[in-house]
Amino acid sequence: MSQSVLDQLLEMGFDKSRAELAVKKSDGLPDAMDFLEKTENTPIEELLEEEESGANVAKVADGTVAMSLVCNECGKMFRTQGEAEFHANKSGHTDFAESTTEIAPLTEEEKKKRLEELRERVKAKRAGQAEVDKEEQKRNEQIRHKATRESHELKEELQRKEQMKEAAKKRQEKLDDQEAKKRIKARIEADKEERRRKAEQAKAAREGRPVPVPAATPPPAPAAARPAATHNEARLRLQTSGGNVMKTFPADTTLFEVAQLLETENGLTITKFIQNFPRKVFEGNLDLGKTLKEAGLVPSAALIVQ
């Protein structure tokens, strides 16, 4: 009988240790399921400890057959020792005695009805837990999607800034090239004029004419002072656990954005950046919210990633 009840409990999905204890403390499948339901939130270690301690039960007089157990503190009667111990654990009552009063057993119809009620409660509870698990999984999926979307948006923003920086660099290179061509052309013209003047002077000397004096030419206008260099990007050498990584970022990129990019590309978990020369440690929301320019990492720097 006990083995059959144990098999049924295991088929229903109950833990083996709890199921074995329920069989030991109950009389049949309904009692076992009732015990499991009432003790589902009690740790198995506590149940086993209570099983070893047992309840304090007074014996009936010699020669008298005990038919039940009674709690002297509340008067409730029990068919089995297991039921009395369960009551003791829940109520804190410790004064029990054997009784000659027989408790009428449940009819087959009552047993069947009680078993169906217990099964329905177990089924409803599992359905409720499944719904809770489903909602939890849904929330976790939403968090994962949000993190993926934010990471993608950050990557797109960094790419956009990189493209803007590259376009500005090409425009500056084009202007520098135009200025260089103008300087070369002016130099060629000056050389041609110098050769022409020398040729005229040589011809005048051969013909006995006065050597023409070149008209005073105004001094060349001083070259416009080039504006002080403004660094719009930072070239970083990042020392990670997987090796060194070279990256170029716009100067207004924050250290938090750098950390997010490294986490996305390399799967790192980053809490701080360390600069050795000069010694600086960037960590926490205040430091990671600084731009590379504000942190003094422009135009280049070497950082240890931790």
Side-chain angles (χ1 to χ4, degrees):
M1 173 76 177
S2 295
Q3 184 63 35
S4 176
V5 170
L6 178 61
D7 290 340
Q8 292 180 68
L9 293 175
L10 294 177
E11 288 177 3
M12 292 179 191
F14 290 105
D15 177 71
K16 185 177 180 181
S17 299
R18 288 182 176 273
E20 290 175 344
L21 186 59
V23 171
K24 185 177 179 181
K25 283 183 168 288
S26 59
D27 182 18
L29 183 59
D31 285 347
M33 291 183 66
D34 192 28
F35 173 84
L36 288 169
E37 183 183 19
K38 291 177 179 178
T39 61
E40 62 180 344
N41 295 322
T42 305
I44 184 64
E45 294 80 7
E46 183 179 332
L47 294 175
L48 292 174
E49 184 178 348
E50 293 170 351
E51 167 68 11
E52 292 177 0
S53 62
N56 182 22
V57 180
K59 302 293 183 181
V60 296
D62 293 340
T64 306
V65 178
M67 304 301 293
S68 61
L69 296 170
V70 62
C71 176
N72 292 329
E73 296 184 36
C74 65
K76 189 172 182 179
M77 303 190 72
F78 311 96
R79 292 187 181 87
T80 66
Q81 178 83 9
E83 292 180 359
E85 290 177 353
F86 177 74
H87 175 72
N89 295 334
K90 289 298 181 182
S91 65
H93 297 169
T94 57
D95 187 9
F96 292 84
E98 292 180 340
S99 172
T100 57
T101 303
E102 182 178 5
I103 301 175
L106 296 175
T107 65
E108 290 300 321
E109 185 65 26
E110 289 173 334
K111 289 181 179 180
K112 184 177 179 181
K113 182 179 179 180
R114 186 179 177 192
L115 181 59
E116 286 300 322
E117 290 175 351
L118 290 171
R119 282 178 172 167
E120 285 299 321
R121 287 209 296 269
V122 170
K123 182 178 178 181
K125 183 168 185 179
R126 288 182 177 170
Q129 185 61 44
E131 190 63 27
V132 170
D133 293 341
K134 183 178 179 181
E135 288 298 320
E136 182 67 21
Q137 183 179 4
K138 184 178 179 181
R139 284 194 297 271
N140 291 337
E141 190 68 15
Q142 290 174 342
I143 293 172
R144 187 182 67 81
H145 283 164
K146 181 180 179 182
T148 301
R149 183 176 66 255
E150 291 177 349
S151 176
H152 182 69
E153 291 174 352
L154 174 61
K155 191 172 183 179
E156 286 185 342
E157 179 65 14
L158 288 175
Q159 288 176 345
R160 184 184 67 81
K161 291 181 178 179
E162 189 71 19
Q163 290 170 353
M164 292 175 62
K165 178 204 68 177
E166 190 65 25
K169 183 179 178 181
K170 288 182 178 179
R171 286 195 299 270
Q172 187 61 45
E173 288 176 350
K174 186 175 180 180
L175 291 174
D176 291 344
D177 186 55
Q178 291 174 351
E179 288 295 325
K181 288 179 179 180
K182 287 180 180 179
R183 289 194 298 272
I184 292 172
K185 185 176 180 181
R187 181 63 181 171
I188 292 173
E189 291 296 329
D191 289 346
K192 286 171 63 176
E193 180 62 24
E194 181 66 18
R195 288 195 299 271
R196 186 190 64 76
R197 185 183 63 80
K198 288 182 177 180
E200 287 185 356
Q201 288 177 347
K203 182 179 179 182
R206 287 195 303 271
E207 294 176 352
R209 291 185 291 107
V211 177
V213 178
T217 57
R226 299 189 64 180
T230 56
H231 301 289
N232 297 321
E233 61 184 20
R235 182 171 177 80
L236 302 182
R237 181 170 66 84
L238 302 164
Q239 182 179 335
T240 70
S241 57
N244 290 337
V245 178
M246 300 299 296
K247 290 285 185 182
T248 301
F249 299 95
D252 59 352
T253 302
T254 64
L255 284 168
F256 175 77
E257 291 174 322
V258 175
Q260 286 289 311
L261 181 63
L262 290 176
E263 289 179 1
T264 301
E265 293 184 349
N266 303 323
L268 302 174
T269 300
I270 299 171
T271 58
K272 61 183 176 182
F273 295 96
I274 299 175
Q275 183 181 23
N276 282 331
F277 305 103
R279 179 71 177 181
K280 292 181 182 179
V281 178
F282 303 99
E283 64 179 329
N285 293 335
L286 183 60
D287 284 345
L288 296 182
K290 293 180 179 179
T291 65
L292 299 179
K293 188 173 183 179
E294 292 171 343
L297 303 177
V298 175
S300 64
L303 296 176
I304 299 173
V305 181
Q306 292 186 353

